[in-house]
C-alpha cells in the first residue's frame, strides 16, 4: 500500500499542462520554462510536459511515480522536478536515456538550464544497435570462415611431415 508524502491535485496539474505543457506554482519560472519545452519537439522529444513541485517528497521516487501517471493518462514525456529530486517517464525515450538526462538536469540549480540539458542529453543518448549488429555479423563471418581454414591448415601441416618421410623412404629404397 502506498503512502505518498506529496499531496497534489493530478487533475489540476493535467489542466495546467494542457495549457502550455508546464505546471509550476511560480509564474516567472513557468514563463522561463515554456520556451525550453517548446524547443523540445524540434530537438527530438515530441510531447514534453514539465511539472515543478516546490515541496520535497519524503520518498525520492514520488516524482517519477507522478511523471508515470501523467504519461499513462496523456502520453508523451513527463518530467517532475522538486528542489531535491526529479523523476521522468516517457513513451518515446528509453529509461536509460531518461536516467542519464535526469542526472544532468539535477546537477543544475537553474531550472530552465537544467531542462535544456535534459533535452540535449535525452535526445543524444542511444544505444548504437546497428553498429553493434554489424560488428557481430563481421565477427560471426570471421569465425565461420576463419576456423575451418585454420583447422584445414593445421591438418595439412600435420600430415606434411608424414608425406615427406614416405616420399624419402620411397626414394631411398626405390620402392
Amino acid at each position: 500500500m502506498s503512502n505518498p508524502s506529496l499531496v497534489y491535485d493530478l487533475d489540476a496539474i493535467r489542466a495546467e499542462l494542457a495549457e502550455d505543457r508546464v505546471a509550476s506554482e511560480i509564474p516567472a519560472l513557468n514563463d522561463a520554462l515554456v520556451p525550453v519545452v517548446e524547443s523540445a519537439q524540434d530537438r527530438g522529444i515530441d510531447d514534453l510536459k514539465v511539472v515543478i513541485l516546490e515541496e520535497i517528497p519524503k520518498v525520492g521516487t514520488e516524482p517519477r511515480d507522478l511523471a508515470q501517471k501523467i504519461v499513462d493518462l496523456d502520453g508523451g514525456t513527463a518530467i517532475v522536478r522538486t528542489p531535491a529530486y526529479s523523476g521522468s517517464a516517457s513513451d518515446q525515450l528509453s529509461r536509460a536515456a531518461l536516467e542519464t538526462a535526469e542526472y544532468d538536469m539535477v546537477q543544475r540549480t537553474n531550472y530552465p538550464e537544467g531542462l535544456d540539458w535534459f533535452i540535449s542529453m535525452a535526445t543524444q543518448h542511444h544505444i548504437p544497435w546497428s553498429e553493434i549488429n554489424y560488428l557481430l555479423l563481421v565477427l560471426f563471418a570471421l569465425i565461420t570462415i576463419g576456423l575451418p581454414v585454420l583447422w584445414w591448415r593445421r591438418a595439412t601441416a600435420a600430415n606434411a611431415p608424414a608425406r615427406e618421410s614416405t616420399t624419402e623412404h620411397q626414394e631411398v629404397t626405390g620402392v
Side-chain angles (χ1 to χ4, degrees):
M1 178 151 97
S2 80
N3 184 13
S5 64
L6 286 179
V7 178
Y8 51 82
D9 182 351
L10 184 58
D11 292 330
I13 290 172
R14 290 178 63 214
E16 195 172 341
L17 289 172
E19 290 177 25
D20 58 9
R21 296 185 290 163
V22 176
S24 172
E25 298 170 352
I26 304 168
L29 182 57
N30 197 78
D31 294 341
L33 290 171
V34 168
V36 181
V37 170
E38 289 174 351
S39 75
Q41 188 166 5
D42 294 334
R43 297 165 65 189
I45 301 177
D46 294 332
D47 184 17
L48 179 63
K49 300 167 189 77
V50 177
V51 178
I52 306 297
L53 300 174
E54 293 306 309
E55 255 183 89
I56 297 174
K58 291 179 185 171
V59 180
T61 59
E62 289 182 46
R64 181 175 178 215
D65 294 342
L66 176 56
Q68 188 63 56
K69 285 179 187 174
I70 293 167
V71 170
D72 289 345
L73 294 170
D74 300 324
T77 300
I79 301 168
V80 177
R81 184 160 181 186
T82 71
Y85 303 107
S86 71
S88 59
S90 179
D91 58 12
Q92 177 186 0
L93 302 169
S94 70
R95 173 66 21 213
L98 293 173
E99 295 289 338
T100 301
E102 273 183 54
Y103 178 78
D104 286 332
M105 177 181 67
V106 175
Q107 300 302 312
R108 285 146 183 84
T109 56
N110 179 301
Y111 281 26
E113 181 185 316
L115 180 58
D116 188 57
W117 271 94
F118 179 95
I119 295 167
S120 295
M121 294 308 296
T123 55
Q124 289 176 12
H125 184 276
H126 74 285
I127 298 173
W129 288 114
S130 296
E131 293 84 354
I132 291 170
N133 286 334
Y134 291 134
L135 180 65
L136 290 174
L137 181 64
V138 167
L139 185 62
F140 178 76
L142 288 173
I143 290 171
T144 304
I145 295 168
L147 279 178
V149 168
L150 179 66
W151 292 333
W152 177 77
R153 291 182 72 186
R154 282 189 175 178
T156 56
N159 290 336
R163 275 188 258 134
E164 287 176 13
S165 69
T166 304
T167 307
E168 288 174 8
H169 177 59
Q170 288 173 347
E171 290 174 1
V172 171
T173 60
V175 181

